[in-house]
mmCIF file of all heavy atoms in Angstrom:
data_model
loop_
_atom_site.group_PDB
_atom_site.id
_atom_site.type_symbol
_atom_site.label_atom_id
_atom_site.label_comp_id
_atom_site.label_asym_id
_atom_site.label_seq_id
_atom_site.Cartn_x
_atom_site.Cartn_y
_atom_site.Cartn_z
ATOM 1 N N ARG A 182 10.415 -29.078 -1.066
ATOM 2 C CA ARG A 182 10.895 -27.784 -1.543
ATOM 3 C C ARG A 182 10.249 -26.637 -0.762
ATOM 4 O O ARG A 182 10.930 -25.691 -0.350
ATOM 5 C CB ARG A 182 10.514 -27.694 -3.017
ATOM 6 C CG ARG A 182 11.159 -26.571 -3.738
ATOM 7 C CD ARG A 182 10.474 -26.446 -5.085
ATOM 8 N NE ARG A 182 11.023 -25.317 -5.771
ATOM 9 C CZ ARG A 182 11.872 -25.430 -6.764
ATOM 10 N NH1 ARG A 182 12.252 -26.608 -7.187
ATOM 11 N NH2 ARG A 182 12.343 -24.363 -7.349
ATOM 12 N N GLN A 183 8.937 -26.787 -0.531
ATOM 13 C CA GLN A 183 8.216 -25.743 0.196
ATOM 14 C C GLN A 183 8.767 -25.558 1.599
ATOM 15 O O GLN A 183 8.928 -24.456 2.072
ATOM 16 C CB GLN A 183 6.734 -26.107 0.297
ATOM 17 C CG GLN A 183 5.946 -25.612 -0.899
ATOM 18 C CD GLN A 183 4.548 -26.193 -0.940
ATOM 19 O OE1 GLN A 183 4.120 -26.868 -0.011
ATOM 20 N NE2 GLN A 183 3.857 -25.942 -2.018
ATOM 21 N N GLN A 184 9.032 -26.704 2.269
ATOM 22 C CA GLN A 184 9.505 -26.580 3.652
ATOM 23 C C GLN A 184 10.842 -25.858 3.679
ATOM 24 O O GLN A 184 11.120 -25.096 4.580
ATOM 25 C CB GLN A 184 9.599 -27.953 4.310
ATOM 26 C CG GLN A 184 10.953 -28.594 4.258
ATOM 27 C CD GLN A 184 10.951 -30.025 4.735
ATOM 28 O OE1 GLN A 184 10.020 -30.474 5.375
ATOM 29 N NE2 GLN A 184 12.000 -30.736 4.418
ATOM 30 N N TRP A 185 11.630 -26.122 2.663
ATOM 31 C CA TRP A 185 12.921 -25.438 2.556
ATOM 32 C C TRP A 185 12.713 -23.939 2.398
ATOM 33 O O TRP A 185 13.346 -23.123 3.043
ATOM 34 C CB TRP A 185 13.667 -26.009 1.349
ATOM 35 C CG TRP A 185 15.007 -25.431 1.136
ATOM 36 C CD1 TRP A 185 15.370 -24.525 0.198
ATOM 37 C CD2 TRP A 185 16.182 -25.709 1.885
ATOM 38 N NE1 TRP A 185 16.695 -24.217 0.315
ATOM 39 C CE2 TRP A 185 17.221 -24.925 1.347
ATOM 40 C CE3 TRP A 185 16.473 -26.531 2.973
ATOM 41 C CZ2 TRP A 185 18.516 -24.949 1.849
ATOM 42 C CZ3 TRP A 185 17.763 -26.551 3.464
ATOM 43 C CH2 TRP A 185 18.760 -25.778 2.914
ATOM 44 N N GLU A 186 11.772 -23.594 1.554
ATOM 45 C CA GLU A 186 11.514 -22.181 1.304
ATOM 46 C C GLU A 186 10.938 -21.487 2.523
ATOM 47 O O GLU A 186 11.252 -20.357 2.814
ATOM 48 C CB GLU A 186 10.541 -22.034 0.131
ATOM 49 C CG GLU A 186 11.194 -22.354 -1.196
ATOM 50 C CD GLU A 186 10.213 -22.395 -2.346
ATOM 51 O OE1 GLU A 186 9.058 -22.004 -2.153
ATOM 52 O OE2 GLU A 186 10.621 -22.819 -3.436
ATOM 53 N N LYS A 187 10.076 -22.213 3.244
ATOM 54 C CA LYS A 187 9.369 -21.588 4.363
ATOM 55 C C LYS A 187 10.277 -21.452 5.588
ATOM 56 O O LYS A 187 10.347 -20.408 6.207
ATOM 57 C CB LYS A 187 8.159 -22.455 4.710
ATOM 58 C CG LYS A 187 7.191 -21.789 5.649
ATOM 59 C CD LYS A 187 5.998 -22.693 5.867
ATOM 60 C CE LYS A 187 5.205 -22.246 7.051
ATOM 61 N NZ LYS A 187 4.231 -23.266 7.443
ATOM 62 N N ASP A 188 10.944 -22.550 5.908
ATOM 63 C CA ASP A 188 11.690 -22.558 7.158
ATOM 64 C C ASP A 188 13.133 -22.125 6.981
ATOM 65 O O ASP A 188 13.769 -21.717 7.928
ATOM 66 C CB ASP A 188 11.675 -23.964 7.770
ATOM 67 C CG ASP A 188 10.259 -24.358 8.135
ATOM 68 O OD1 ASP A 188 9.466 -23.452 8.465
ATOM 69 O OD2 ASP A 188 9.959 -25.552 8.081
ATOM 70 N N GLN A 189 13.627 -22.257 5.781
ATOM 71 C CA GLN A 189 15.023 -21.888 5.573
ATOM 72 C C GLN A 189 15.076 -20.613 4.747
ATOM 73 O O GLN A 189 14.472 -19.635 5.097
ATOM 74 C CB GLN A 189 15.756 -23.055 4.897
ATOM 75 C CG GLN A 189 15.687 -24.347 5.696
ATOM 76 C CD GLN A 189 16.570 -24.329 6.922
ATOM 77 O OE1 GLN A 189 17.660 -23.772 6.872
ATOM 78 N NE2 GLN A 189 16.136 -24.917 8.005
ATOM 79 N N LEU A 190 15.729 -20.678 3.609
ATOM 80 C CA LEU A 190 15.854 -19.482 2.793
ATOM 81 C C LEU A 190 15.090 -19.677 1.495
ATOM 82 O O LEU A 190 15.101 -20.760 0.929
ATOM 83 C CB LEU A 190 17.335 -19.235 2.496
ATOM 84 C CG LEU A 190 18.184 -18.980 3.725
ATOM 85 C CD1 LEU A 190 19.661 -19.025 3.380
ATOM 86 C CD2 LEU A 190 17.844 -17.639 4.349
ATOM 87 N N PRO A 191 14.415 -18.629 1.032
ATOM 88 C CA PRO A 191 13.679 -18.783 -0.218
ATOM 89 C C PRO A 191 14.615 -19.083 -1.387
ATOM 90 O O PRO A 191 15.736 -18.580 -1.423
ATOM 91 C CB PRO A 191 12.982 -17.437 -0.392
ATOM 92 C CG PRO A 191 13.667 -16.508 0.526
ATOM 93 C CD PRO A 191 14.292 -17.309 1.620
ATOM 94 N N VAL A 192 14.137 -19.912 -2.303
ATOM 95 C CA VAL A 192 14.934 -20.329 -3.459
ATOM 96 C C VAL A 192 14.166 -19.979 -4.723
ATOM 97 O O VAL A 192 12.969 -20.231 -4.816
ATOM 98 C CB VAL A 192 15.200 -21.852 -3.430
ATOM 99 C CG1 VAL A 192 16.125 -22.246 -4.577
ATOM 100 C CG2 VAL A 192 15.790 -22.276 -2.106
ATOM 101 N N SER A 193 14.871 -19.420 -5.685
ATOM 102 C CA SER A 193 14.257 -19.099 -6.966
ATOM 103 C C SER A 193 14.120 -20.385 -7.785
ATOM 104 O O SER A 193 14.798 -21.371 -7.514
ATOM 105 C CB SER A 193 15.139 -18.091 -7.698
ATOM 106 O OG SER A 193 14.603 -17.791 -8.955
ATOM 107 N N VAL A 194 13.251 -20.346 -8.785
ATOM 108 C CA VAL A 194 12.974 -21.548 -9.576
ATOM 109 C C VAL A 194 14.237 -22.054 -10.292
ATOM 110 O O VAL A 194 14.353 -23.240 -10.589
ATOM 111 C CB VAL A 194 11.810 -21.267 -10.569
ATOM 112 C CG1 VAL A 194 12.238 -20.315 -11.681
ATOM 113 C CG2 VAL A 194 11.260 -22.556 -11.145
#
Side-chain angles (χ1 to χ4, degrees):
Chain A
R182 192 191 177 105
Q183 272 169 7
Q184 95 189 344
W185 181 256
E186 287 172 9
K187 192 177 165 192
D188 296 330
Q189 302 286 323
L190 298 169
V192 185
S193 178
V194 70

